[in-house]
Amino acid sequence: MLEIMLELWYEIIMSLSGILTLFGIIITWLIFRRIETIVGEEKHPSGLLLIGGLMTSGGFSGAVLSKHPVNGILAVLILTGPALIAYSLAMDNVVKVSGRLMLQAIVTLSSLIFAGNYSTVMVDVIYVGPFLALLLLMNSLISLKFLDEVREKLLIISSWFVVMFSWTRYWLDNTTGIQKGIIVAFFAIPIVLWVIIATSIYLSIPKEYPQLDKNDQEIF
């Protein structure tokens, strides 16, 4: 009975995190859509960001909640979604390829040395896609020049938490109680922070750039 309750607790937290991730993707898309509107030109194809985000979120949520092995459709969604996000953000150099982002990507990919310990090798490899997508989305907001220091620091911390979860996820099946809660927190906490910060950015854009147009200072 206790094991069932613990598993239910894990599924509830991961499900809520999935819902928040979807909300964060939509808010991030709305931020860039609003910026595009203010600037008066297409800074980057934000529509692809939304499509890629929805594909990634849907595929990841389906894989986490499914009681069956990841099928071809879910695998395609999880792998294609991050690629669309990366393409969208790279179009006009929205995300600066900083040393931090490069290091985070390398460390996250390096976690695949444990592939097969948490699930099948294929599933462990596929799950890296959503982690990289989250890193790109968080760093896209960090790239905004009008972002204040507090929100920037929180986003940087959140992005490193995602990197930590990419490594610690392999021990989820072998831990219970507080230890499992700590591992899950590496995923849930950064999602919550990202959504809160993204929402605050979206609501503050008109105040911070009321007269912005394409001849004014760059946003990124």
Side-chain angles (χ1 to χ4, degrees):
M1 183 65 179
L2 179 59
E3 291 181 358
I4 295 176
M5 291 180 63
L6 288 174
E7 187 63 27
L8 181 61
W9 165 84
Y10 168 73
E11 290 185 359
I12 290 174
I13 295 297
M14 293 302 290
S15 298
L16 290 175
S17 297
I19 294 172
L20 283 176
T21 299
L22 178 59
F23 185 74
I25 290 169
I26 294 173
I27 287 294
T28 302
W29 169 69
L30 288 173
I31 288 172
F32 290 111
R33 280 300 301 156
R34 177 165 288 187
I35 289 175
E36 288 172 358
T37 300
I38 294 173
V39 173
E41 64 179 3
E42 292 290 321
K43 290 297 291 182
H44 70 288
S46 62
L48 290 178
L49 187 154
L50 178 62
I51 294 172
L54 293 176
M55 292 174 65
T56 304
S57 177
F60 183 73
S61 298
V64 169
L65 299 176
S66 176
K67 301 299 182 181
H68 306 286
V70 176
N71 59 37
I73 296 177
L74 292 178
V76 169
L77 289 175
I78 295 173
L79 292 175
T80 306
L84 286 178
I85 291 173
Y87 177 76
S88 171
L89 295 174
M91 284 299 292
D92 273 317
N93 201 26
V94 173
V95 176
K96 309 300 180 183
V97 185
S98 63
R100 179 187 61 254
L101 179 56
M102 289 292 294
L103 179 60
Q104 288 177 337
I106 292 172
V107 174
T108 299
L109 290 171
S110 298
S111 69
L112 291 176
I113 62 174
F114 293 116
N117 291 349
Y118 173 57
S119 185
T120 65
V121 172
M122 183 185 74
V123 171
D124 284 335
V125 171
I126 287 174
Y127 277 5
V128 170
F131 300 150
L132 294 176
L134 283 172
L135 291 177
L136 285 169
L137 290 167
M138 290 177 179
N139 277 275
S140 71
L141 299 182
I142 295 172
S143 298
L144 296 174
K145 289 187 176 181
F146 60 78
L147 193 66
D148 59 86
E149 185 176 354
V150 173
R151 288 184 292 184
E152 179 182 353
K153 296 292 185 184
L154 287 175
L155 280 173
I156 291 174
I157 292 172
S158 297
S159 63
W160 279 111
F161 268 40
V162 173
V163 175
M164 293 175 67
F165 182 71
S166 72
W167 282 78
T168 57
R169 65 191 172 106
Y170 296 109
W171 288 275
L172 279 171
D173 284 347
N174 299 320
T175 56
T176 58
I178 296 177
Q179 290 180 328
K180 190 166 188 174
I182 292 174
I183 294 174
V184 173
F186 287 143
F187 182 72
I189 290 177
I191 297 299
V192 172
L193 288 175
W194 167 49
V195 170
I196 291 174
I197 294 171
T199 303
S200 71
I201 292 173
Y202 176 74
L203 295 175
S204 64
I205 287 177
K207 297 178 182 178
E208 293 171 346
Y209 282 89
Q211 305 297 329
L212 185 64
D213 59 44
K214 61 184 180 181
N215 296 318
D216 290 323
Q217 61 180 313
E218 291 293 325
I219 299 177
F220 307 107

